[in-house]
Amino acid sequence: MTALLKVQGLRKTFGGVHAVEDVSFELASGELLAMIGPNGAGKSTCFNMINGQLAPDSGSVALGGREIAGRPPREIWRLGVGRTFQVAATYASMTVVENVQMALLSLHGQLFRLWARAAALHRSEALELLAAVGLGQRADEPCSTLAYGDLKRVELAIALANRPALLLMDEPTAGMAPLERNALMQLTRDLVKERGIGVLFTEHSMDVVFAHADRIMVLARGRLIAEGAPAAIRDDRQVREVYFGSGRLVRTAHAAAPGSAAAGTRAAAGPP
Amino acid sequence: MLSGFAGQLLNGLAGASTLFLLAVGLSLIFGVTRIVNFAHGSMFMVGLYVAYSLAQWLAPLAGGAAAFWLSILLSAAAVGALGVLVELLVLRRIYRVPELFQLLATFAVVLVLRDAALAIWGPDDLLGPKAPGMKGAVQILGRQFPQYDLFLIFVGPAVLALLWLLLRRTRLGVLIRAATQDREMVGALGVNQAWLFTGIFALGSALAALGGALQLPREPANLGLDLGTIGDAFVVVVVGGMGSIPGAYLAALIIAEIKAVCYGIGAVQVFGASFSFSKLTLVVEFIVMAAVLIWRPWGLLGKPQGMVRGAAAAEAPIRPMRRAGVVATAALGAALLALPLAGQAFPYLTVLMIDLLIAVLFATSLHFIMGPGGMHSFGHAAYFGLGAYGAAALLKGLALPMELALAAAPLVALAGGLLFGWFAVRLSGVYLAMLTLAFAQIVWSIVYQWDEVTGGSNGMVGIWPSARFASKTAYYYLTLALVGASVFALRRMLFAPFGYAMRAGRDSPLRAESTGIGVIGVHWAGFAIASLFCGLAGALYAFGKGSISPETIHVGRSIDALVMVLLGGVQTLSGPIVGSAVFTWLQDWMIRATDYWRALLGFAILVLVLAFPQGIVGGLAAAWERWRPPAAAAEGRR
Amino acid sequence: MKTRLLATLFAACLFSAGAQAQAPIRIGELNSYKAQPGFLDPYKKGWELALEEINASGGLLGRKVEVVSRDDNGNPGDAVRVAEELVSREKADVIFGGFLSHIGLALTDFAKQRKVFFLAAEPLTDKITWQNGNRYTDRLRPTTYMQTAMLVPEAAKLKKKRWAIVYPNYEYGQSAAATFKQLLKAAQPDVEFVAEQAPALGRVDAGAVVQALADAKPDAIFNVLFAGDLAKFVREGTTRGLFKDRPVVSLLSGEPEYLDPLKDEAPEGWIVTGYPWYGIDTPEHKRFLAAYQKRWNEYPRLGSIVGYSSMMSLAAGIRKAGSTDTERLIAAFKGLKVDTPFGPMVYRPEDNQSTMGAYVGLTTVRDGKGVMKDYYYVDGASVLPNAEETRKLRPAD
Ligand SMILES: Nc1ncnc2c1ncn2[C@@H]1O[C@H](COP(=O)(O)OP(=O)(O)OP(=O)(O)O)[C@@H](O)[C@H]1O
Ligand SMILES: [Mg+2]
């Protein structure tokens, strides 16, 4: 059986910066694969190339054996790839449930209907999805009033709307309290196992990663430096040097300013 | 021939300096504050007027030369102070309101300054003195070249160099550059942002005034200079790259040279007909701008800028009308239906109401893309005009019956919307605004010059409704029916999946694209739908007036539409309706009430802007939210 | 039978006269006062003076005359609305006014649609009385064609072969240029037009235009630029020596509206149409000048003449018609004779155009002011095509 996702020799440079260099890996259905690495390691860039946000300079991305690299995000989404963003991307002028309905409308090819009442379409299905991520009670609140952690849940509900085969989650628990983090990841894990979805996620919280990932990849300055079961990664000497040596720094820097490039470079520029 | 060409390039250099001074302040202001400052042209105008007066007063006191140069510098300083005043009194209060709303305030300032100039300097053109010591000409390339133009050629680069030094070598410059790149960063630098904005406004205004004052020997001060120059200023800023000062000079140079060359080429035989290239000067800068925006939206020397997410609060989710709203709408509908009954007593009411209804559709169609679509079109009049001219051409050219022409005319606007929208929706924010403006100007200039089809600058006459709708009452009902149905349809579309998709694309293109929504396609369709309905408004206008002229496409009408939408509140669905009604009525009433209706209208807009920073409807809704009993509030939540 | 009809008519007249004896005659007036204040302020003073004179001498048909004046916001759409307001709300019996050509045309068409009598006062476009003419509209001021035609004989007399033309890029400029070319070619077949510059109205790049004209090395120049464009053109052209040894024929430039702002820089020796108010010594003009200066404490511009004569035309028309009824006014204006400060003139029956003329002369500077010299009056009738040709230019009523 072919892997759900097969990435080979992926590369991307921005100006002179090699954001991603020769990254290859595979992901099976029902598997939770974590991609970790210091700020600026190239994780989000990888995600962006897999879901079509960015075209890779070279390399291949195959979904279920079909090449998808370079296709636009909306096509890749239709092939069954859901995504959440590092900085939650939701529709601020809509209610929570409308955010999810939007994805369902798109899924059913109803975007260009000019007359039907959108708020009445797919509402029950959207409510179910919200219930699944624990937001059933807040369905009719404006999305703009939600706490950041809750926005991440909305994103998850949206990402699940097209019954994806592959879920890409960029820091799904950022902005959440520790207990909440584990609850959300547990929830994700249950859904994934139940529906046989493959998940690729990044996370700066090591507790979450080691508690929930089936497998871990470590990215540093655009290159994969290690890959394996959590226990193996924990013991990997190179990973320890490059990553855990400054692990604490990463975590504090991240908490202070999510995605701050300045802090990220410092962390990534540890000992060579 | 060759030396003639070189001579024209010299003329272009002098023109470039003028354009550069006109535009560079606008670029600075936009770069730092992100305000689309319509009042910039007014500063240029006031600068010229003030310099004229100063030169007259100072002439007896100081020597001729001293008086002349002093009046130019003092004028720049005075207008700089005026800029401070405008910033402190008006703009400072509204930085945290939805994007582009400040535009409304600056437009009000235009109106006020125009009438202030009229009151102070009177209506006549005022031609200033020649520059002492530079009255004559020098012999260059066998031609007489004015000394003053030679001087101007050097002024532009000199100011460019000074500004460059200011930006590179002073702390203020560092702040300006930082703010241009990233507004949030200024706060981090520990600067009082408010004073930075005030300062930049003063500097920008003073530069515009300097540009105006330096025109003293070349151009009479007149009241049309404000809106007459603002278009050029925008073009230069956009072509050069917003916030880029060398870019502004480069753009000014390119545009001035192209124009000079157009004059230089003169009349040419094309396919046996004679075409004077000088006619192209009417529009050539907008063609350049459109080309640059399509090819390199951030301008020649600008950098791509992140979208400025407005500092304003997010828009509230749209909800269907509550019962009170339905009742009010029904009552309004009934009143509108009964209105011609009052026509005996108030015969003019029907006439005014036709115009008002057309304005409602015009504004509502703009709001359709501007609000939910987030596409701030500065050229909406193009589709209004295409509808109006479409109706006229179908009626007169193809001799269609009026009913058919009215039905088909919106398709002309639709075609325009599809064509221009194709390019426009690929941009966003102020770039989109400027591209739509450029397209509208191009359409305007074609209509203005295509005598055979459009009647040229005179327009077309004899576009009257058929006998059935000839009476004002009948035409009123026709207009009411079509406008009512259109407004309902547009509203309905916003509650439909399509409207949601448009808002999705506006709120988060990233999310939309990654959930299968082709934002460009959706917005393109939205643009087309808006132009279709706008075209209907234009066609109704044509038949209501019996005649049309290029004014239906003029930039002034596009601004009117923006003002109406912003006045009512861009974030509300009924905003454009209220805004257009209030604006049309205010204008009609004030024109009759006073000689200084512009100033009065300007002050009215300023009061509304300061009292209702979210527009009239937005403000009223917010007030209601605060006032209503908690029980009702809780219900509204659900 | 006949007597009964007459009796009925007589009774009707009596009845209506009795009922309206007290009600004033209402005349609607609209113009772009706020868009073009410089030109329309004297115009307004002109018709106000006439109105006062008319009412002082007992009004018209025994009724007082009232004028309801409105601003048209400088655009045709609003102008039509305002006209509608004048007719429906203000119950104006007739309307007059207009300055910009496109607004004048819109009002012309409005008059036809609403069947109201409209006297176009200022707009110049030929189309108001020709291509787009209709029976409801008469026009006072000499048209673009007429004013151009007045200059052509002088241009032909110069015997210059190579001509350059400069005009603002809109209908007035275009049609003036076309008429000039056509008429001069007819008068002087060997003429050549070596350069044609059409800068945007109000936005002439004078330096570039002047150089382009000079580079074509014309023997003479025909200019149609006016107002701010003219000032820029004159200053730049003088500095660059464009007018040295080169005659210039220039439309309207002798009107005080355009000549005065140039002050001592007014060009020397241009052949222009205009209004030398300071030197016209016909009795009718002297009387007008005195009255105007007494009333307003300033000298008249051409607009004053137009405003005054418009009002006087309406008065003459209403007197002749014996009523303000539209049909009777239309009939009354056919061949209506009016005494104006420029002397007597006639509204031609064939195209409803008045035969008001203009003064043709040379510009010069006197006491630091631009003035006209060696001028003579050209009667409009002498430059208009004859009745038969005119009918071809105009749709049948
Ligand atoms: N659009 C872009 N243009 C230029 N450089 C970019 C762009 N996107 C990312 N980069 C650079 O590429 C590198 C990788 O960035 P990326 O966002 O993929 O890192 P990351 O691993 O997701 O970091 P973080 O943990 O902070 O989210 C960084 O050096 C970043 O500055
Ligand atoms: Mg990242």
Side-chain angles (χ1 to χ4, degrees), chain A residues 12-15 17-20 35-48 54 86 170-171 202-204 219 221-222 243 250 254 257-265 268:
Chain A
K12 183 82 194 174
T13 53
F14 294 111
V17 182
H18 297 275
V20 172
M35 176 184 274
I36 61 172
N39 290 131
K43 305 182 294 289
S44 296
T45 307
C46 275
F47 276 50
N48 286 343
L54 289 172
Q86 183 168 345
D170 202 342
E171 305 196 16
T202 72
E203 203 35 84
H204 282 289
L219 203 62
R221 283 191 274 167
Y243 197 102
V250 168
H254 184 261
S260 145
T265 346

Side-chain angles (χ1 to χ4, degrees), chain B residues 14-390:
Chain B
S17 285
T18 305
L19 263 182
F20 169 69
L21 289 175
L22 165 66
V24 67
L26 187 65
S27 194
L28 281 171
I29 291 174
F30 182 85
V32 173
T33 67
R34 298 293 145 87
I35 287 183
V36 178
N37 178 23
F38 266 106
H40 199 71
S42 306
M43 300 299 178
F44 180 88
M45 174 181 83
V46 173
L48 181 48
Y49 270 115
V50 171
Y52 176 87
S53 290
L54 285 173
Q56 290 217 314
W57 290 335
L58 294 177
L61 305 178
F68 181 87
W69 297 111
L70 207 59
S71 57
I72 284 176
L73 293 178
L74 285 178
S75 164
V79 175
L82 180 65
V84 170
L85 215 64
V86 168
E87 206 278 342
L88 286 183
L89 293 182
V90 181
L91 296 174
R92 176 162 294 194
R93 296 157 193 272
I94 49 169
Y95 279 121
R96 303 194 70 79
V97 297
E99 217 179 328
L100 277 187
F101 194 69
Q102 299 96 346
L103 177 158
L104 192 54
T106 63
F107 178 67
V109 172
V110 171
L111 294 175
V112 172
L113 287 181
R114 162 82 70 98
D115 268 1
L118 174 62
I120 297 170
W121 288 284
D124 294 321
D125 287 9
L126 303 174
L127 185 58
K130 286 189 171 183
M134 297 189 193
K135 292 188 176 169
V138 288
Q139 195 80 6
I140 299 178
L141 303 163
R143 292 180 171 71
Q144 302 282 349
F145 195 79
Q147 290 164 336
Y148 190 75
D149 285 22
L150 216 50
F151 161 73
L152 274 187
I153 289 179
F154 291 102
V155 170
V159 172
L160 175 64
L162 284 175
L163 283 174
W164 193 86
L165 284 177
L166 174 79
L167 288 188
R168 298 282 150 174
R169 294 288 147 82
T170 67
R171 176 164 157 71
L172 178 67
V174 172
L175 291 177
I176 291 174
R177 278 189 297 144
T180 304
Q181 262 141 41
D182 182 356
R183 202 145 58 134
E184 268 91 74
M185 224 164 100
V186 187
L189 288 173
V191 187
N192 186 336
Q193 181 174 310
W195 283 109
L196 178 65
F197 282 18
T198 312
I200 207 74
F201 224 84
L203 178 63
S205 303
L207 283 167
L210 180 67
L214 282 170
Q215 288 300 298
L216 196 54
R218 302 179 90 217
E219 180 164 21
N222 67 77
L223 295 171
L225 280 175
D226 51 0
L227 291 182
T229 54
I230 187 68
D232 285 355
F234 277 138
V235 168
V236 170
V237 170
V238 169
V239 170
M242 303 199 200
S244 164
I245 292 177
Y249 187 76
L250 182 64
L253 190 65
I254 289 173
I255 287 164
E257 292 297 1
I258 290 180
K259 281 194 171 187
V261 167
C262 280
Y263 288 115
I265 295 173
V268 170
Q269 298 292 323
V270 196
F271 303 116
S274 169
F275 176 78
S276 177
F277 262 79
S278 58
K279 291 186 178 177
L280 261 184
T281 55
L282 190 64
V283 68
V284 70
E285 65 263 46
F286 288 99
I287 295 176
V288 171
M289 177 159 90
V292 167
L293 278 171
I294 290 169
W295 163 62
R296 205 181 145 87
W298 52 91
L300 297 176
L301 297 187
K303 295 198 187 73
Q305 283 179 339
M307 271 289 294
V308 194
R309 278 274 141 242
E315 189 177 312
I318 56 171
R319 316 231 187 220
M321 245 179 232
R322 297 203 192 91
R323 181 170 305 154
V326 175
V327 171
T329 310
L332 178 67
L336 287 174
L337 278 174
L339 184 116
L341 297 182
Q344 302 304 326
F346 308 102
Y348 175 58
L349 198 56
T350 320
V351 180
L352 179 62
M353 280 308 294
I354 292 174
D355 277 16
L356 201 140
L357 285 169
I358 291 170
V360 164
L361 182 54
F362 184 35
T364 308
S365 67
L366 173 61
H367 173 265
F368 188 73
I369 47 173
M370 190 171 157
M375 294 175 271
H376 308 295
S377 170
F378 278 25
H380 205 51
Y383 312 101
F384 190 82
L386 284 173
Y389 273 94

Side-chain angles (χ1 to χ4, degrees), chain B residues 11 128 143 278 462 551 592, chain C residues 89 102 109 198 215 235 240:
Chain B
N11 289 325
R143 292 180 171 71
S278 58
E551 248 133 344
R592 252 168 307 128
Chain C
R89 175 152 81 189
H102 59 306
D109 203 53
D215 284 355
R235 188 170 270 189
R240 293 183 186 235

